């Protein structure tokens, strides 16, 4: 097996098809008294758990904690449920929690493990593309509270992250594309965009291990210089001011909810236009990037919504003094954070998208 290993000061990330087997030696290297627990959701329990247990004999008789799939279950009551099982099944300070799932499981499992007995070790085995390139790395854990996304949480690193590409086989196509949106975001802000031909080549022919590794390595580098999200880490929010507003709007109206990556794909389009209008991003690059994103998400456009989605812009947690602030792209790999945006700028950018949309 050709395993890509990314080492950071705190933990390492291993990437390969079949990489789950690495967990066997990791568990065996832990004290003999350490017991393991697995956290899954109802989908990863069905599709990914059998593969994990087959690859890691040390996990064949351990307690499996299963949450209902879905963002609606990402709340404190689920954390209490996880901790309740850990306690009732005899977990102690030396126990290990194995998080097997998408961002829901790695965020919620990471938080539960970090709170239980003031913190036990956890490993992340992301099973969604979004989890692999984003949620499972970077050390943010959390749950939603009273309608506010990730408003309760901790910075807490896993002991190890194992990215086993085989889990992607059962991931629904729509979820997969949602993850591609974050890969494109990393490529846009790192200046790596253009090296992957998202339209011309069938995705099955891509070297996903390398693509995912590049995406993770980029995020790790950004996080390493700003673990607690004071300045540089904000660049990772490109597309997210508008994206979060659309996501919240689509969840609170009768519309069928947008997936996170879909909302970010639209958010990046609008924020790219803002970048052209308010910074130096030239129109040729703008049009190339818009075509790229619209090609991957042909079914999405701002025509799907009425303008009330904009009411959610002000509540974004990144904004100061209820001002709208965005991360903008000044050029290839050149990013400016905390740019104040007026509502008129948004209207103008929307107008541009209506005229320049290929969808
Ligand atoms: N901590 C961070 O830095 C960070 C970054 C980005 C996103 N997030 C969080 O991550 C979450 C979104 O992540 P997500 O898109 O992975 O959501 P998710 O965990 O809800 O997974 C999406 C869906 O895919 C299913 N699924 C996952 N892997 C599967 C597989 N291999 N086969 C079949 N079904 C599978 C899940 O059951 C779920 O229905 C959000 O809660 C978001 O807040 C956190
Ligand atoms: Zn995101």
């Amino acid at each position: 097996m050709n395993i890509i290993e990314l080492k950071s000061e705190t933990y390492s990330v291993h990437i390969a098809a079949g990489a789950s087997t690495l967990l066997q030696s990791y568990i065996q290297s832990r004290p003999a008294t350490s017991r393991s627990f697995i956290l899954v959701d109802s989908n990863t329990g069905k599709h990914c758990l059998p593969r994990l247990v087959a690859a890691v004999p040390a996990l064949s008789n351990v307690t499996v904690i299963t949450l209902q799939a879905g963002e609606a279950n990402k709340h404190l009551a689920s954390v209490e449920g996880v901790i309740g099982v850990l306690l009732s099944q005899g977990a102690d300070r030396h126990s290990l929690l194995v998080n097997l799932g998408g961002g829901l499981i790695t965020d919620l499992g990471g938080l539960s493990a970090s709170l239980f007995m003031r913190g036990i070790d956890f490993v992340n085995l992301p099973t969604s593309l979004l989890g692999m390139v984003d949620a499972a790395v970077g050390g943010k854990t959390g749950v939603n509270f009273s309608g506010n996304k990730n408003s309760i949480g901790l910075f807490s690193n896993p002991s190890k992250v194992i990215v086993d590409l085989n889990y992607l086989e059962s991931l629904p196509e729509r979820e997969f594309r949602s993850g591609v949106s974050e890969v494109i975001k990393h490529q846009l802000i790192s200046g790596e965009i253009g090296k992957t031909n998202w339209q011309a080549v069938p995705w099955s022919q891509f070297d996903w291990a390398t693509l995912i590794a590049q995406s993770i390595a980029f995020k790790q580098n950004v996080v390493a210089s700003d673990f607690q999200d004071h300045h540089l880490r904000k660049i990772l929010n490109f597309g997210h001011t508008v994206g979060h507003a659309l996501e919240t709007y689509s969840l609170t109206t009768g519309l069928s909810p947008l997936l996170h990556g879909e909302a970010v794909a639209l958010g990046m389009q609008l924020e790219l236009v803002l970048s052209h209008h308010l910074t130096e991003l030239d129109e040729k690059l703008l049009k190339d990037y818009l075509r790229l994103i619209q090609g991957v998400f042909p079914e999405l456009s701002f025509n799907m919504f009425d303008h009330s989605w904009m009411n959610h812009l002000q509540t974004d947690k990144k904004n100061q003094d209820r001002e709208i602030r965005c991360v903008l792209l000044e050029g290839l790999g050149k990013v400016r954070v905390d740019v104040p945006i007026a509502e008129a700028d948004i209207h103008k950018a929307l107008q541009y998208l209506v005229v320049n949309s290929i969808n």
Side-chain angles (χ1 to χ4, degrees), residues 41-44 47-48 68-71 74 100-107 126-132 134-142 144 149-150 166-172 175 178-179 182 219 233 240 244 247 259-261:
D41 72 22
S42 38
N43 295 323
T44 62
H47 298 290
C48 308
Q68 257 322 303
E71 186 73 18
K74 194 180 175 190
L100 179 69
L104 163 76
I105 290 298
T106 52
D107 273 15
T127 59
S128 66
L129 182 59
L130 195 136
M132 293 177 182
D134 200 352
V137 294
K140 284 187 179 177
T141 70
N144 307 328
K149 271 199 69 146
N150 301 325
N166 289 339
Y167 293 125
L168 295 174
E169 284 169 19
S170 57
L171 187 70
E175 295 288 351
S178 175
E182 299 282 1
K219 180 168 179 182
R233 195 168 175 158
H240 282 62
H244 278 152
E247 201 177 1
L259 298 182
H260 177 73

Side-chain angles (χ1 to χ4, degrees), residues 253-267:
T253 53
L255 287 171
S256 82
L258 288 171
L259 298 182
H260 177 73
E262 294 171 336
V264 170
L266 282 167

Side-chain angles (χ1 to χ4, degrees), residues 116-157:
F116 180 67
M117 306 235 165
R118 298 196 182 80
I120 60 169
D121 288 345
F122 63 99
V123 291
N124 285 340
L125 274 77
T127 59
S128 66
L129 182 59
L130 195 136
M132 293 177 182
V133 299
D134 200 352
V137 294
K140 284 187 179 177
T141 70
V143 291
N144 307 328
F145 185 72
S146 151
N148 296 295
K149 271 199 69 146
N150 301 325
S151 46
I152 295 184
L154 289 170
F155 287 100
S156 180
N157 281 316

Side-chain angles (χ1 to χ4, degrees), residues 189-256:
I189 54 184
S190 67
E192 293 292 308
I193 197 78
K195 297 188 179 162
T196 311
N197 198 338
W198 291 102
Q199 260 82 267
V201 183
W203 289 359
S204 56
Q205 288 177 19
F206 286 177
D207 174 1
W208 282 103
T210 303
L211 265 179
I212 291 169
Q214 284 167 344
S215 218
I216 297 174
F218 173 70
K219 180 168 179 182
Q220 295 274 79
N221 276 335
V222 173
V223 171
S225 53
D226 178 22
F227 184 52
Q228 297 215 337
D229 208 353
H230 297 303
H231 187 73
L232 183 66
R233 195 168 175 158
K234 288 181 181 168
I235 69 174
L236 298 172
N237 289 324
F238 177 63
H240 282 62
T241 301
V242 172
H244 278 152
L246 291 168
E247 201 177 1
T248 312
Y249 165 85
S250 84
L251 289 170
T252 50
T253 53
L255 287 171
S256 82

